[in-house]
Amino acid sequence: MSLVVLGINHKTASVDLREKVAFSVEQHENALKQMLNSSVFLETVIVSTCNRTEVYCILEENNPQILLSWLAHFHKLTETELSQHTYCYTDTQAISHVMRVACGLDSLVLGEPQILGQIKQAYQTSKSLSCVGVLLERLFQKTFSVAKQVRTETDIGASAVSVAYAAVSLAKHIYGKLDKIKVLLIGAGETIELVARHLQQNGCVNMTVANRTVSKAQVVAAEFNANVVSLAQVPEQLIQSDIVISSTASTLPIIGKGVVEQALKARRYKPMLFVDIAVPRDIESQVGELDDAYLYTVDDLQAIVNQNVQSRLKAAEEAEAIIVLKVAEFEVWLKSLDAVDLIRVYRQQVDEIKNELIERATAQLSAGKPAEKVILELANKLSNRLMHAPTRSIKQAAESGELAQLVQLKNVLGIDE
């Protein structure tokens, strides 16, 4: 048996190809059922996200090409096209890889935590369809334990390494809890959507999305149960907002110093945080001159991000050291499993010999043969049968001059001088 990982990710393939190899929910289950019914794939877990698709398998034979052929056929692609953009790891490398992925060390954003949840979901799906056996069960439980240890003992996820996350981290640092804070998001693109997701994860429940095209704002707002306004309504919305985060494609500023002054006056000068992550700027730089308005630009956030990236790189080194130890622990378990299998097979062979000789002795006793002779014959035959293989190995080692093997056989057989 062999553990194999075949994958494709943001480092090896374009979005177009990754989309072709990704598994929808229905495809995911169909693929697992198909592999379950095959004698080639003994155990399987499929991880499929926007940035990666990976298939973890226990194969009957160490032949990763079988897995590549299956993946290409399932998604109606050629093996040549797929092989140029995939990576494959077996055994020790495969164990290390799944642990690194779960810890966020192989992610587009170093240390991001979402991948662990996605792997857990993939594992549960496979388990529910009886595609997880002893080996993958132990591997993934070990992996989840390693990921938890890395999160606990290192700072791999402690610092913001995306501008969107940095914006939310800044807001949380200033306001503490965000559950009672009112946030105005200006724009409806990917960045604002990511900001909204981070806000929601940090307890923010009062968000409003403003956009030139209201229908686009409604799409983003629907996911986060947020309110929707047009850009024309932004001035009056400012009065109610504690935090304003803006990211549009506008070539001219959307918020000027004058409208902020009016909002602050209406708020009785209750402080406001402005985070402008647009290029060109959405908020006039003069807004930062106002006493109760605190303006941060994309450059300010990028400086935080760059500093935090260095912090995560150091944490990643610590995580790698933990993974090396845990891979070694898992391999020790695998070797013990081999020993268990060897003992089981050996015991089975001995039992077969024993049962065969007992059956023969019983027949002899039934035929009236003296019990003393039957017992003696049983003992002699059992001794001879059990000694046959060790005796042959000892003779072969002696004839070949394999002294080390002779010593090992002596220890295994418990032979005293």
Side-chain angles (χ1 to χ4, degrees):
M1 291 188 294
S2 181
L3 169 62
V4 178
V5 178
L6 180 71
I8 185 170
N9 66 17
H10 59 280
K11 298 176 185 177
T12 65
S14 64
V15 174
D16 290 341
L17 184 56
R18 296 204 306 272
E19 286 177 341
K20 292 177 183 177
V21 183
F23 289 83
S24 65
V25 174
E26 184 178 354
Q27 285 178 321
H28 194 167
E29 293 192 2
N30 289 339
L32 289 171
K33 290 175 182 176
Q34 187 182 112
M35 298 177 88
L36 182 64
N37 292 328
S38 168
S39 60
V40 177
F41 309 111
L42 304 182
E43 301 180 38
T44 307
V45 171
I46 298 175
V47 176
S48 185
T49 73
C50 57
N51 283 327
R52 75 177 62 242
T53 292
E54 294 184 339
V55 184
Y56 296 83
C57 264
I58 303 297
L59 299 181
E60 180 67 46
E61 298 179 2
N62 188 4
N63 185 4
Q65 185 64 34
I66 294 175
L67 193 52
L68 178 68
S69 300
W70 175 84
L71 187 62
H73 182 264
F74 187 89
H75 288 292
K76 297 179 174 57
L77 299 168
T78 65
E79 289 183 37
T80 303
E81 178 184 8
L82 198 56
S83 64
Q84 296 173 353
H85 300 279
T86 56
Y87 46 86
C88 182
Y89 303 111
T90 59
D91 301 327
T92 301
Q93 286 185 322
I95 298 165
S96 177
H97 179 74
V98 65
M99 291 181 181
R100 293 187 74 257
V101 171
C103 292
L105 300 183
D106 194 55
S107 297
L108 182 61
V109 178
L110 181 64
E112 61 92 5
Q114 286 82 8
I115 186 63
L116 178 58
Q118 292 164 335
I119 291 176
K120 285 183 175 180
Q121 181 59 52
Y123 156 79
Q124 289 294 346
T125 299
S126 287
K127 191 168 183 178
S128 68
L129 294 173
S130 302
C131 294
V132 175
V134 174
L135 292 177
L136 288 189
E137 172 69 27
R138 184 67 176 246
L139 175 60
F140 279 90
Q141 290 300 333
K142 185 71 170 179
T143 296
F144 301 150
S145 173
V146 171
K148 182 179 180 180
Q149 182 178 347
V150 166
R151 293 276 162 193
T152 302
E153 297 182 7
T154 76
D155 291 330
I156 192 67
S159 308
V161 289
S162 73
V163 171
Y165 190 32
V168 177
S169 296
L170 177 64
K172 191 176 179 183
H173 177 72
I174 292 172
Y175 286 94
K177 293 183 179 180
L178 301 179
D179 55 333
K180 295 180 181 179
I181 299 299
K182 296 180 179 179
V183 181
L184 173 62
L185 302 174
I186 304 177
E190 190 175 313
T191 301
I192 286 296
E193 185 177 346
L194 192 55
V195 169
R197 184 165 289 109
H198 289 314
L199 284 168
Q200 186 181 63
Q201 290 170 352
N202 282 278
C204 183
V205 294
N206 198 328
M207 288 183 273
T208 298
V209 181
N211 194 55
R212 193 178 306 279
T213 306
V214 174
S215 58
K216 289 184 179 179
Q218 289 171 335
V219 172
V220 175
E223 184 177 349
F224 305 102
N225 196 28
N227 301 314
V228 175
V229 297
S230 65
L231 288 186
Q233 295 172 285
V234 165
E236 61 187 74
Q237 196 66 38
L238 286 175
I239 299 171
Q240 305 172 41
S241 304
D242 302 302
I243 300 172
V244 179
I245 302 176
S246 187
S247 177
T248 75
S250 175
T251 56
L252 296 173
I254 294 172
I255 297 176
K257 182 180 179 181
V259 73
V260 174
E261 282 182 313
Q262 293 174 13
L264 284 170
K265 185 177 180 181
R267 288 169 57 85
R268 296 183 180 180
Y269 300 99
K270 183 181 178 182
M272 298 176 69
L273 170 64
F274 291 87
V275 183
D276 187 354
I277 48 181
V279 178
R281 296 180 182 183
D282 282 342
I283 303 172
E284 286 183 351
S285 58
Q286 290 82 357
V287 168
E289 298 172 1
L290 299 173
D291 288 341
D292 298 296
Y294 300 90
L295 174 63
Y296 290 82
T297 67
V298 67
D299 289 339
D300 298 322
L301 296 181
Q302 192 60 54
I304 297 172
V305 166
N306 292 340
Q307 183 179 354
N308 290 343
V309 165
Q310 294 304 313
S311 174
R312 283 203 179 187
L313 287 172
K314 182 180 179 182
E317 292 178 6
E318 298 170 1
E320 295 282 9
I322 292 173
I323 288 171
V324 168
L325 292 175
K326 297 307 177 181
V327 168
E329 286 181 8
F330 189 79
E331 289 191 308
V332 168
W333 177 78
L334 279 178
K335 289 177 182 177
S336 73
L337 191 66
D338 290 340
V340 170
D341 284 343
L342 189 61
I343 292 168
R344 178 179 53 79
V345 172
Y346 181 61
R347 183 180 294 278
Q348 183 178 341
Q349 289 179 349
V350 170
D351 283 344
E352 287 176 357
I353 294 171
K354 177 191 72 176
N355 292 333
E356 177 190 334
L357 295 178
I358 287 175
E359 185 178 346
R360 181 172 179 174
T362 302
Q364 289 176 335
L365 289 171
S366 299
K369 191 170 182 178
E372 185 178 337
K373 289 186 177 182
V374 171
I375 292 173
L376 182 60
E377 182 181 340
L378 172 64
N380 288 335
K381 287 185 178 296
L382 183 60
S383 298
N384 290 336
R385 293 281 290 273
L386 293 179
M387 286 178 62
H388 176 70
T391 301
R392 184 179 58 191
S393 296
I394 290 171
K395 285 182 177 180
Q396 289 176 346
E399 290 171 0
S400 304
E402 297 287 346
L403 296 180
Q405 189 174 352
L406 280 170
V407 172
Q408 188 174 13
L409 283 166
K410 177 185 168 185
N411 292 332
V412 168
L413 295 171
I415 299 173
D416 297 325
E417 292 290 354

